[in-house]
Amino acid sequence: MDWSAVSVATKAALPPVTSAEMKSHLRVDFADDDTDVAAAVLAATAFIERQTGVALVTQTWRYGLDSFTGTTHDRSRSGASRLFGYQYGTCDNIIELPGWPIQSVTSVNYYDGDGTAQAVDANDYRVDLNREPVRIFHDTNWPTSESRSGAVWVDYVVGVAVADVAPDLLAGVKLMAAHLFENRQAVGEKMDALPLGIDFIIESNRRGYAAA
């Protein structure tokens, strides 16, 4: 699945795992490696989010389209797309949003025929947050956008509070962060295999691939 049209507009304010929690997991009780521990947590979080398409902690994503009709990219029907029988993009008056869990849609924006950035009136569309993928419906017809790449973009809030992150995803972050921390440099011809359980955690939560 091609998620190259998805970017992170506003990063999460906090990591899902604190440095203190990670140091406890690593059984590290000194401060010399605090910077490396924090970096490993951030890298592990990005890895889990990219591989699953699940935003861990509240943040804002931006989804870009070339127009209000059709799809921006050739999105292969794999993973969750194949399982549930849908593709992300637009169809008729519906925009389907990648990512999970989605809290709300902040704005639907576009460049008009004069190349001026505009926001669609929130009273003119409805958001269905009760299914996956989350869908945006226009009550009549979407406005006409400029003929250009990335003429339409949607900003939306994804993720949950730190306290509500799923335990298996937290475990995945810790396992991956420990792997990165313990293999900070090349170790021979190849890195050690990913820690046991990472693949299972990713596959059981996979929604696709997100590019930040």
Side-chain angles (χ1 to χ4, degrees):
M1 180 182 298
D2 182 2
W3 276 35
S4 62
V6 180
S7 61
V8 178
T10 304
K11 295 181 179 180
L14 297 170
V17 178
T18 66
S19 291
E21 291 169 337
M22 194 63 224
K23 288 174 68 175
S24 176
H25 178 82
L26 293 167
R27 301 186 186 280
V28 172
D29 58 4
F30 49 87
D32 294 4
D33 292 330
D34 281 5
T35 299
D36 288 337
V37 169
V41 169
L42 291 178
T45 300
F47 175 82
I48 294 295
E49 290 184 333
R50 286 170 185 262
Q51 294 297 315
T52 62
V54 176
L56 301 188
V57 180
T58 299
Q59 56 196 273
T60 300
W61 285 7
R62 176 166 294 170
Y63 181 47
L65 294 160
D66 290 342
S67 69
F68 281 111
T69 59
T71 55
T72 305
H73 302 282
D74 178 15
R75 295 175 170 79
S76 61
R77 299 177 68 84
S78 60
S81 176
R82 183 178 63 234
L83 179 61
F84 295 108
Y86 58 75
Q87 289 178 289
Y88 295 113
T90 63
C91 179
D92 298 326
N93 287 341
I94 301 173
I95 299 175
E96 295 181 332
L97 298 177
W100 191 261
I102 296 177
Q103 298 182 25
S104 62
V105 171
T106 305
S107 62
V108 179
N109 313 279
Y110 68 101
Y111 289 109
D112 64 18
D114 295 325
T116 303
Q118 304 281 358
V120 180
D121 191 325
N123 293 319
D124 292 340
Y125 61 82
R126 295 169 291 116
V127 181
D128 179 5
L129 295 170
N130 297 318
R131 59 158 284 171
E132 185 182 2
V134 166
R135 299 179 297 175
I136 307 175
F137 304 83
H138 198 284
D139 289 335
T140 54
N141 293 295
W142 293 107
T144 300
S145 61
E146 185 180 14
S147 179
R148 58 177 287 182
S149 177
V152 177
W153 66 99
V154 181
D155 288 347
Y156 52 107
V157 179
V158 292
V160 296
V162 172
D164 296 326
V165 177
D168 59 337
L169 291 172
L170 285 178
V173 170
K174 290 179 180 179
L175 287 171
M176 192 64 202
H179 174 74
L180 294 172
F181 179 79
E182 293 163 1
N183 295 280
R184 282 170 281 179
Q185 297 180 6
V187 286
E189 294 183 358
K190 63 179 182 179
M191 294 286 284
D192 290 346
L194 291 179
L196 185 65
I198 282 287
D199 285 344
F200 174 78
I201 292 170
I202 289 172
E203 289 302 324
S204 61
N205 288 279
R206 188 185 296 280
R207 262 78 183 185
Y209 296 84

